[in-house]
Amino acid sequence: MSWNSFGRVLRFTTWGESHGPAIGAVVDGCPPGVALSEADIQPWLDRRRPGTSRFTTQRREPDAVRILSGVFEGRTTGTPISLLIDNVDQRSRDYGEVEKAYRPGHADYAYDAKYGLRDHRGGGRSSARETASRVAAGAVARLVVPGVRIRGWVEAIGGDAVDPARFDDAEIDRNPFFCPDAAAAARWETLVDGARMAGSSLGAVVACEATGVPAGWGAPLYAKLDAELAAACMGINAVKGIEIGDGFAAATLSGEANADPMRPGPDGPAFLANHAGGIAGGISTGQPIRIRVAFKPTSSILTPVATVTRGGEATSIATRGRHDPCVGIRGVPVVEAMVALVLADQALLHRAQCGDRAQGTPVDLAR
Amino acid sequence: MSWNSFGRVLRFTTWGESHGPAIGAVVDGCPPGVALSEADIQPWLDRRRPGTSRFTTQRREPDAVRILSGVFEGRTTGTPISLLIDNVDQRSRDYGEVEKAYRPGHADYAYDAKYGLRDHRGGGRSSARETASRVAAGAVARLVVPGVRIRGWVEAIGGDAVDPARFDDAEIDRNPFFCPDAAAAARWETLVDGARMAGSSLGAVVACEATGVPAGWGAPLYAKLDAELAAACMGINAVKGIEIGDGFAAATLSGEANADPMRPGPDGPAFLANHAGGIAGGISTGQPIRIRVAFKPTSSILTPVATVTRGGEATSIATRGRHDPCVGIRGVPVVEAMVALVLADQALLHRAQCGDRAQGTPVDLAR
Amino acid sequence: MSWNSFGRVLRFTTWGESHGPAIGAVVDGCPPGVALSEADIQPWLDRRRPGTSRFTTQRREPDAVRILSGVFEGRTTGTPISLLIDNVDQRSRDYGEVEKAYRPGHADYAYDAKYGLRDHRGGGRSSARETASRVAAGAVARLVVPGVRIRGWVEAIGGDAVDPARFDDAEIDRNPFFCPDAAAAARWETLVDGARMAGSSLGAVVACEATGVPAGWGAPLYAKLDAELAAACMGINAVKGIEIGDGFAAATLSGEANADPMRPGPDGPAFLANHAGGIAGGISTGQPIRIRVAFKPTSSILTPVATVTRGGEATSIATRGRHDPCVGIRGVPVVEAMVALVLADQALLHRAQCGDRAQGTPVDLAR
Amino acid sequence: MSWNSFGRVLRFTTWGESHGPAIGAVVDGCPPGVALSEADIQPWLDRRRPGTSRFTTQRREPDAVRILSGVFEGRTTGTPISLLIDNVDQRSRDYGEVEKAYRPGHADYAYDAKYGLRDHRGGGRSSARETASRVAAGAVARLVVPGVRIRGWVEAIGGDAVDPARFDDAEIDRNPFFCPDAAAAARWETLVDGARMAGSSLGAVVACEATGVPAGWGAPLYAKLDAELAAACMGINAVKGIEIGDGFAAATLSGEANADPMRPGPDGPAFLANHAGGIAGGISTGQPIRIRVAFKPTSSILTPVATVTRGGEATSIATRGRHDPCVGIRGVPVVEAMVALVLADQALLHRAQCGDRAQGTPVDLAR
């Protein structure tokens, strides 16, 4: 079943294919009175925009967003916000091979098996181009929780990781890899260039941290903040793994090593560690929220791979067209956007259920 | 916001606390005519039942399920199925310390921060006892997709992993660890005994494989089958990481190494590898679906840890009460249940959208 | 598709059949800290309870509710509240005829057509007994919006309406018909007795008013407060019509006759009329919310009606068993409950989206 | 809370304001392989289009729809279908008065009370212009259930009803009122002209019938087909009442008069009456589905009405701008569209839950 909406009270729906006339998102449930114009969204789209270095696809898209509804005199009205981005640089002729045979690792075969037909041009709906819609929606979400800072970076490419001791936030925006470690960024130039020229591609790990999230957002169990973030990020193209806090490393620890001891602090407890990634019992603790997301390597590669045609005959495919040699790099603004959308949604949900809790007064929404 | 329902058309809702009178689940949307009695559910609950070895909590619960609705003369009627399990072995007096101070790593502080109060007895709603409701609901889901076999096991405890070369499916049910490797199971006896006697606990990795899933279940993007499974498993208590197929390892690979090459097969393509874990573009490919789930160590431990009281004063806490030294072990039937619930839901959703596709005829649901 | 949940953030799910062991509801999303015990729910169930006069079914059910979860030391914890009501007076042997042939106007044939089987005992899931679960859930909802008063009554039975000039709120609880007009109540004794003794039944109109609802609850368009109330009430057994404010009478008016003129008032506008039933553009205006709900006559009657058997043969059916001669009477507490559930849900939703609006400050949920 | 999506598996979301650059809808969950182009949608939009007679608003909108996604080589792909309609004839200067004071009966005050601001130009989001998006989405839904014929008409304007004995289906498309009775249509010319020239407006009742719906669509209780239709239609601007089958008239009947007796028929039962409007127990019976919908008179009228300004001062308002003298007339294609959307959604839901029922075989979706 096609399912292109996300969120519980702050919801968004995306639409559009790689080589259609446009793509877009509709954001519903945004609080009214938020100052919003295209200028609030465009910088985030520009971070994700393709064609800005040789390490991303060479497709040239301005990714200029237009707000078609939901804003009046510079403020949100509380009604749905329609965001539209034109596609201007389609080159569908590159995709003749993809029409006839399935790229291993790509969505091609699965779409055909499910739907019986597919828009093969540029990957159609399964193209990473769709993520521009998420980034646009995420820019709106950021404005709903302005006290939260959401910051992502690439932690590893092809297994080559940054050195945590060299982490420099300012470095992230200085290189084409969103890499916080200048030395790693230098190595990655060689690494990604090599993959690109070999007609290959590389996987990557993206990390993201959200600071300024107060204790109390999220839910026990079926909508654990961990689970919301996992669903949000695992829904991004090419993502195959997600960790909250220590993630799989926590599975190697003892209980006392994994505990985040507490000490009295100025505003509630002060924590002496953050193995939990800022979430306990599915609810934020006030610590920074930390996640890691695994992107597989781009499956559209020039290196030939054995496959079958739509008719079921053996062949091999080498994918022409323009592709990111490492789709995880541009995943950074996308992961950030999804985190923003989850947190803004949870902020509103927390206010819905617990908005009057602090006062300790009887609940009376009707006064 | 409390959110205790899961699923899109096959939905279930759970309720209940560790030390309340009972716990339960309501399963809605089950197809009619499915043969169902308590005997179809009880064996799965028995697999998860506590107190069956010294490696789990010593709480003695028969976990006898009763079906209160939705079944008539041995068959489901299509109306909601209410499943109830009595709590019979509460010992709330053990939890005096938990009332006063927060267990680091546990939900205690987060619940207080969110709700302003909590049922501290046995962890209340945040207790792993809740997972019995999931296992009961999952037993119903299995009957909706009888052609699918869902099989979980423990892959590692405290960082000590099974040897894949020694994997023996039959071994899984022969030891108290759901361990497919007899040698590892023997080591884990010592390991878990050690942790238990030291007042400590251990994390674990649970793996799960679903075979018999046809190509075509799932959805692109926001409800990628990967994302549905991630949300389902990350919503289990103590889970902090999830991988589909190669997961984080895929992020270290090149595109050609991560591709799953295809060859013509008897029923559609035959795959030469399964890095994707049976899911491409969010949709099943017909290969086995493979996931890995990281459980952190139990946070209720006898080893004292620094913490604060509800009043904000420094203290340390050593949790008495009865706890699993490795909560991941009993996570196996829980992960299996959640996988079953996701797959049954997706099977129905696929039939909803694409039920008439195979025929190649014009859609006409009204004939 | 079976769908037994209702609500958007304050949600509830009901389960249970007329002649099963019990029925119940799970209420999720209730704010924490609300004082709640069985004593808060039981009086509302007692108002709906059968067997209290000769004008309702003679089935004797104590309808004693038990709270199984979600409450700790007398207060809601924010986790799901499970409410259970035992069935104690089933007499399934009365229903042999219903098993074999379809009651015209009843759900019998439709259930068989949809599901291929049905629990015929007492109507199974389609029995009005299910409405006890709604009333229990509604009692919780009332506590979420204590400033709102929700008051229902029967406005007409079998076409015989109350005289608005004789409306007396205190009279509603003094007669077995929830009738606000003592003269009409006297007439209805004869009317309903006549139908009962003739083996017939009667339809009714239930009216309901909610006062104390502030301006601003609800939503434009797809979740207009009108639409939420319509869905809620039309989901009650036997309901076939719903009006908000003047309803169908508004369709006979001119624009100026239907306008509700405004004058400056102490707290926002004072309205000079209430044709709109307190809702404009789908959003509450601060005026009393007024609805009318049409209940068809009970379709289980002793008077024989032509029908067919499950095997498709012609027959006629006279329904034995115990039935309300006018199901609309006991519809009053049910309509009230559904109105309470809608309003509490909308109160929380309004707080989610617009909770900080009044302050006129930049949105910052994270402070 | 803003809520602009509708449907459970076939879902759509609309966006856009009366005087913004465009309006649109995103339809998600449509089955793949359905032949679809703009030419399938445009005729339905043309039926609703304003400015085609003097009995509707004089705003001139071509309402040309563009499909921006979800269709490839003339067939739906199963991915979201984005439909966009440009606004070309805004005249915002007409609305100066509406900015300053509230139109009684209109959404103006309620929006301000909820959101603190509103786009007053042409009614913004609350304008009936939004219904073009519904009609476009409904045109897609019709193609999902091609065996169903959905036919609406105006049954009464300002209390002047058609004569059922003179009902002529062919007449509906011959006059500007969607009136099935030529004599009534002639009377309505005078009636509506009179209201228009007097600066007044009129309410209307729209009826709609769906034939070709098989028995078994819908659900018991909370998503009764009655309730789905009620929510769908009550969500249309200006609607204040809805009846299924006999509706409020059923409340005046006895049980035997309201029963729809059954006789053996060629394909299941043959019914001797249709008081139930084709729905029993919330599920379709195979009879024609019949509903009636009450539209209040347009609240934007030239006749001055007492009101208050945004600042709270007494004034009166006479609404200039271009408005339908009877908004119910153009409600016909809108009601039809909403009925189509509900039925297509229910068709898919029925297939999800009960798709394999007819075969009487064990459920096995995985084979």
Side-chain angles (χ1 to χ4, degrees):
Chain A
M1 172 61 69
S2 177
W3 217 285
N4 295 277
S5 300
F6 190 87
R8 298 179 188 272
V9 292
L10 184 73
R11 286 145 287 134
F12 71 103
T13 301
T14 77
W15 55 268
E17 278 85 38
S18 179
H19 289 210
I23 60 174
V26 182
V27 181
D28 199 6
C30 181
V34 178
L36 177 68
S37 75
E38 280 88 352
D40 296 300
I41 302 173
Q42 199 60 50
W44 304 106
L45 281 170
D46 290 345
R47 288 184 82 213
R48 182 209 152 277
R49 195 151 56 84
T52 54
S53 83
R54 70 180 185 274
F55 306 107
T56 67
T57 171
Q58 294 308 299
R59 180 168 169 174
R60 302 279 164 174
E61 287 287 351
D63 279 352
V65 67
R66 278 184 292 154
I67 300 174
L68 297 183
S69 67
V71 174
F72 181 60
E73 296 180 347
R75 298 206 164 259
T76 59
T77 59
T79 61
I81 301 164
S82 178
L83 305 170
L84 188 137
I85 300 167
D86 285 313
N87 288 332
V88 302
D89 185 26
Q90 306 98 319
R91 269 202 342 229
S92 302
R93 65 185 153 77
D94 291 339
Y95 292 89
E97 292 226 323
V98 174
E99 182 180 3
K100 293 181 210 125
Y102 302 125
R103 284 166 290 179
H106 207 283
D108 298 340
Y109 168 66
Y111 270 58
D112 258 6
K114 183 174 192 74
Y115 297 122
L117 79 173
R118 75 192 142 96
D119 178 352
H120 66 272
R121 300 164 306 156
R125 181 71 182 153
S126 71
S127 165
R129 174 128 194 84
E130 187 270 346
T131 59
S133 302
R134 300 176 189 242
V135 171
V140 177
R142 286 178 191 265
L143 300 175
V144 176
V145 286
V148 176
R149 181 175 188 260
I150 297 162
R151 185 68 163 155
W153 60 89
V154 176
E155 193 179 283
I157 292 183
D160 180 7
V162 300
D163 176 357
R166 300 176 57 95
F167 185 98
D168 175 4
D169 187 284
E171 180 63 27
I172 295 172
D173 294 324
R174 283 195 208 118
N175 60 69
F177 303 106
F178 300 108
C179 176
D181 168 357
R187 297 194 305 271
W188 294 353
E189 287 212 17
T190 313
L191 188 67
V192 179
D193 261 339
R196 188 169 56 84
M197 288 184 292
S200 180
S201 64
L202 292 165
V205 175
V206 170
C208 187
E209 183 179 78
T211 51
V213 176
W217 291 3
L221 302 172
Y222 296 88
K224 277 171 64 182
L225 194 45
D226 322 66
E228 301 286 282
L229 291 166
C233 292
M234 202 68 107
I236 301 170
N237 318 50
V239 172
K240 298 300 276 189
I242 169 102
E243 297 182 313
I244 310 294
D246 282 7
F248 279 85
T252 69
L253 297 180
S254 67
E256 60 274 23
N258 187 60
D260 295 326
M262 289 182 254
R263 277 284 163 257
D267 304 308
F271 293 86
L272 304 182
N274 189 9
H275 299 284
I279 308 171
I283 299 166
S284 61
T285 61
Q287 292 218 81
I289 290 177
R290 290 188 181 141
I291 69 171
R292 296 173 76 245
V293 180
F295 284 79
K296 67 177 184 181
T298 315
S299 42
S300 298
I301 49 177
L302 272 166
T303 306
V305 189
T307 190
V308 297
T309 65
R310 292 199 73 189
E313 289 167 8
T315 185
S316 79
I317 189 164
T319 311
R320 281 170 191 76
R322 299 163 296 177
H323 300 284
D324 285 275
C326 174
V327 73
I329 298 171
R330 293 203 294 140
V332 169
V334 183
V335 167
E336 286 182 0
M338 294 306 293
V339 170
L341 286 154
V342 166
L343 292 178
D345 190 26
Q346 293 295 324
L348 299 183
L349 282 166
H350 181 57
R351 187 161 69 182
Q353 188 180 17
C354 302
D356 55 355
R357 197 192 59 68
Q359 293 78 36
T361 52
V363 182
D364 190 351
L365 294 166
R367 281 176 321 194
Chain B
M1 170 63 67
S2 178
W3 218 285
N4 293 276
S5 300
F6 191 86
R8 297 181 188 270
V9 291
L10 183 73
R11 287 144 286 134
F12 72 104
T13 301
T14 78
W15 54 268
E17 277 85 37
S18 180
H19 287 211
I23 60 174
V26 182
V27 181
D28 199 7
C30 181
V34 178
L36 177 68
S37 74
E38 279 87 352
D40 295 301
I41 303 173
Q42 198 62 50
W44 303 107
L45 280 170
D46 291 346
R47 287 183 83 214
R48 183 211 153 275
R49 193 153 55 86
T52 54
S53 84
R54 69 180 185 276
F55 307 107
T56 68
T57 171
Q58 294 306 298
R59 181 169 169 172
R60 302 280 167 176
E61 288 287 351
D63 278 351
V65 67
R66 279 184 290 155
I67 299 173
L68 298 184
S69 67
V71 175
F72 180 62
E73 296 180 347
R75 297 207 166 259
T76 58
T77 59
T79 61
I81 302 165
S82 178
L83 305 169
L84 188 138
I85 300 167
D86 285 313
N87 288 331
V88 303
D89 184 26
Q90 306 98 319
R91 270 201 343 227
S92 302
R93 64 184 153 77
D94 291 339
Y95 291 89
E97 291 225 325
V98 173
E99 182 181 5
K100 292 180 210 125
Y102 301 125
R103 284 167 289 180
H106 207 284
D108 298 339
Y109 168 66
Y111 269 58
D112 259 7
K114 183 175 191 72
Y115 297 122
L117 79 174
R118 73 193 144 97
D119 178 352
H120 65 272
R121 300 165 306 157
R125 181 71 182 153
S126 71
S127 166
R129 174 133 194 79
E130 188 271 345
T131 59
S133 302
R134 299 175 188 242
V135 171
V140 177
R142 285 177 191 267
L143 301 175
V144 176
V145 287
V148 176
R149 179 175 190 261
I150 297 161
R151 185 68 162 155
W153 61 87
V154 176
E155 194 178 283
I157 292 183
D160 180 7
V162 301
D163 176 356
R166 300 178 57 95
F167 184 97
D168 176 2
D169 187 285
E171 180 62 27
I172 295 172
D173 294 324
R174 283 195 207 119
N175 61 67
F177 303 106
F178 300 108
C179 178
D181 168 356
R187 296 195 307 270
W188 292 353
E189 287 213 14
T190 313
L191 189 66
V192 179
D193 262 340
R196 187 172 56 83
M197 289 185 292
S200 182
S201 65
L202 293 164
V205 174
V206 170
C208 187
E209 183 180 79
T211 51
V213 175
W217 292 2
L221 302 174
Y222 296 87
K224 276 170 64 180
L225 194 46
D226 322 66
E228 301 286 284
L229 291 165
C233 292
M234 201 68 106
I236 301 171
N237 317 49
V239 172
K240 299 299 276 188
I242 169 102
E243 296 183 313
I244 310 296
D246 283 6
F248 279 86
T252 68
L253 298 179
S254 68
E256 58 274 22
N258 186 61
D260 296 324
M262 290 183 255
R263 276 283 161 261
D267 305 308
F271 292 86
L272 304 181
N274 189 8
H275 299 284
I279 309 171
I283 298 167
S284 61
T285 61
Q287 291 219 79
I289 289 176
R290 290 187 182 142
I291 68 170
R292 296 173 76 246
V293 180
F295 285 78
K296 68 177 184 181
T298 315
S299 42
S300 299
I301 49 176
L302 272 166
T303 306
V305 189
T307 190
V308 296
T309 65
R310 292 198 74 191
E313 289 168 7
T315 185
S316 80
I317 190 163
T319 312
R320 283 170 188 77
R322 299 164 296 179
H323 300 284
D324 285 276
C326 174
V327 73
I329 298 172
R330 293 203 293 138
V332 169
V334 183
V335 167
E336 286 182 359
M338 294 306 293
V339 170
L341 286 154
V342 166
L343 292 178
D345 190 26
Q346 293 296 325
L348 300 183
L349 282 166
H350 181 57
R351 186 161 69 182
Q353 189 180 17
C354 303
D356 55 355
R357 197 189 59 68
Q359 292 79 35
T361 53
V363 183
D364 190 352
L365 294 165
R367 281 177 320 195
Chain C
M1 170 62 66
S2 178
W3 218 284
N4 294 277
S5 299
F6 190 86
R8 297 180 189 270
V9 291
L10 184 73
R11 285 144 288 133
F12 71 103
T13 300
T14 77
W15 55 269
E17 277 85 37
S18 181
H19 287 210
I23 59 174
V26 182
V27 181
D28 199 6
C30 181
V34 178
L36 177 67
S37 74
E38 280 88 351
D40 295 300
I41 302 172
Q42 199 60 51
W44 303 107
L45 280 169
D46 291 346
R47 286 183 83 213
R48 182 209 153 276
R49 192 151 57 84
T52 54
S53 84
R54 71 180 184 276
F55 305 108
T56 68
T57 172
Q58 294 307 297
R59 181 169 169 172
R60 302 282 166 172
E61 287 287 351
D63 278 352
V65 68
R66 277 184 291 155
I67 300 173
L68 298 184
S69 67
V71 175
F72 181 61
E73 297 181 345
R75 297 207 166 260
T76 58
T77 59
T79 62
I81 301 164
S82 178
L83 306 170
L84 188 137
I85 300 167
D86 286 313
N87 287 332
V88 302
D89 184 27
Q90 306 97 318
R91 271 205 338 233
S92 302
R93 65 184 151 77
D94 291 339
Y95 291 89
E97 292 226 324
V98 174
E99 182 180 6
K100 291 179 210 128
Y102 301 125
R103 286 166 288 180
H106 208 284
D108 299 340
Y109 168 67
Y111 269 58
D112 259 6
K114 182 175 192 73
Y115 297 122
L117 79 174
R118 72 193 146 97
D119 178 353
H120 66 272
R121 301 164 306 156
R125 181 71 182 153
S126 71
S127 165
R129 174 132 194 80
E130 187 270 345
T131 59
S133 301
R134 299 174 188 244
V135 171
V140 177
R142 286 177 190 267
L143 300 175
V144 175
V145 285
V148 175
R149 180 175 190 259
I150 297 162
R151 185 68 162 156
W153 61 89
V154 176
E155 194 178 283
I157 291 183
D160 180 7
V162 301
D163 176 354
R166 299 177 57 95
F167 185 96
D168 175 4
D169 187 285
E171 181 62 26
I172 295 172
D173 294 324
R174 281 194 208 121
N175 60 68
F177 303 107
F178 299 107
C179 177
D181 167 356
R187 296 195 305 271
W188 293 353
E189 287 214 14
T190 312
L191 188 67
V192 180
D193 262 340
R196 187 171 57 83
M197 288 185 292
S200 181
S201 65
L202 292 166
V205 175
V206 170
C208 186
E209 183 179 79
T211 51
V213 176
W217 291 4
L221 302 173
Y222 296 88
K224 276 170 65 181
L225 193 45
D226 323 66
E228 301 286 285
L229 291 165
C233 292
M234 201 68 106
I236 301 170
N237 318 50
V239 171
K240 298 300 275 189
I242 168 101
E243 296 181 315
I244 310 294
D246 283 6
F248 279 85
T252 69
L253 297 180
S254 68
E256 59 274 22
N258 186 59
D260 296 323
M262 290 183 253
R263 276 284 162 257
D267 305 308
F271 292 87
L272 304 181
N274 189 8
H275 299 284
I279 309 172
I283 299 167
S284 61
T285 61
Q287 292 219 80
I289 288 175
R290 289 187 182 142
I291 68 171
R292 296 174 75 244
V293 180
F295 285 79
K296 68 178 183 180
T298 315
S299 42
S300 298
I301 50 176
L302 272 165
T303 306
V305 189
T307 189
V308 296
T309 65
R310 290 199 74 189
E313 288 168 9
T315 184
S316 80
I317 190 163
T319 312
R320 281 169 191 79
R322 297 163 297 179
H323 299 283
D324 285 276
C326 174
V327 74
I329 297 172
R330 293 204 292 140
V332 169
V334 182
V335 168
E336 286 182 359
M338 295 305 294
V339 170
L341 286 153
V342 166
L343 293 178
D345 190 26
Q346 293 295 325
L348 299 182
L349 281 167
H350 181 57
R351 187 160 69 182
Q353 188 179 18
C354 303
D356 55 355
R357 197 190 58 70
Q359 292 79 35
T361 54
V363 182
D364 191 351
L365 294 165
R367 281 175 319 195
Chain D
M1 172 62 68
S2 178
W3 217 285
N4 293 277
S5 300
F6 191 87
R8 297 179 189 270
V9 292
L10 183 73
R11 286 145 287 134
F12 72 104
T13 301
T14 76
W15 54 269
E17 278 84 36
S18 180
H19 287 209
I23 60 174
V26 182
V27 181
D28 199 7
C30 181
V34 178
L36 176 67
S37 74
E38 279 88 351
D40 296 299
I41 302 173
Q42 199 61 51
W44 304 107
L45 280 170
D46 290 345
R47 287 184 83 215
R48 182 210 152 276
R49 193 152 56 85
T52 55
S53 83
R54 71 179 184 275
F55 306 108
T56 67
T57 171
Q58 294 308 298
R59 180 169 170 173
R60 301 282 166 174
E61 288 286 352
D63 279 352
V65 67
R66 278 184 290 155
I67 300 174
L68 297 184
S69 67
V71 174
F72 180 61
E73 296 180 348
R75 298 208 165 258
T76 58
T77 59
T79 61
I81 302 165
S82 178
L83 306 170
L84 188 136
I85 300 167
D86 285 312
N87 287 331
V88 303
D89 185 25
Q90 305 98 320
R91 271 205 337 233
S92 301
R93 65 184 152 76
D94 291 340
Y95 291 89
E97 292 226 323
V98 174
E99 182 180 3
K100 293 180 209 127
Y102 301 125
R103 284 166 289 179
H106 208 283
D108 299 339
Y109 168 66
Y111 270 58
D112 258 7
K114 183 173 192 73
Y115 297 122
L117 79 174
R118 74 193 143 96
D119 178 352
H120 66 272
R121 300 164 307 158
R125 181 71 181 153
S126 71
S127 165
R129 174 130 193 82
E130 187 271 345
T131 59
S133 302
R134 301 176 187 243
V135 171
V140 177
R142 287 176 189 266
L143 300 174
V144 175
V145 286
V148 175
R149 179 175 190 261
I150 297 161
R151 184 67 162 157
W153 60 88
V154 176
E155 193 178 283
I157 292 183
D160 180 8
V162 302
D163 176 357
R166 301 178 56 96
F167 185 97
D168 175 3
D169 187 284
E171 180 63 27
I172 295 172
D173 294 323
R174 281 195 209 119
N175 61 69
F177 303 106
F178 301 107
C179 177
D181 167 357
R187 296 195 305 271
W188 293 352
E189 287 214 15
T190 313
L191 189 66
V192 178
D193 261 339
R196 187 171 57 84
M197 288 185 290
S200 181
S201 65
L202 292 166
V205 175
V206 170
C208 186
E209 183 179 78
T211 51
V213 175
W217 291 3
L221 301 173
Y222 295 88
K224 277 170 63 180
L225 194 46
D226 322 67
E228 302 284 285
L229 291 166
C233 292
M234 201 68 106
I236 301 169
N237 317 49
V239 172
K240 299 300 277 188
I242 169 100
E243 296 183 313
I244 310 295
D246 283 6
F248 279 85
T252 68
L253 297 180
S254 68
E256 59 275 21
N258 186 61
D260 295 326
M262 290 182 254
R263 276 285 163 257
D267 304 307
F271 292 87
L272 305 181
N274 190 8
H275 299 285
I279 309 171
I283 299 167
S284 61
T285 61
Q287 292 219 82
I289 289 177
R290 289 186 182 143
I291 68 170
R292 295 173 77 246
V293 180
F295 284 79
K296 68 178 185 182
T298 315
S299 42
S300 298
I301 49 176
L302 272 166
T303 307
V305 190
T307 190
V308 295
T309 65
R310 291 198 74 190
E313 288 168 9
T315 185
S316 81
I317 190 164
T319 312
R320 282 170 190 77
R322 299 163 296 177
H323 300 283
D324 285 274
C326 174
V327 74
I329 298 171
R330 293 203 292 141
V332 168
V334 182
V335 167
E336 286 182 359
M338 294 306 294
V339 169
L341 286 154
V342 166
L343 292 177
D345 190 26
Q346 294 295 324
L348 299 183
L349 282 166
H350 181 58
R351 186 161 69 181
Q353 188 179 18
C354 303
D356 54 356
R357 198 190 59 69
Q359 294 77 36
T361 54
V363 182
D364 191 352
L365 293 167
R367 279 179 320 199

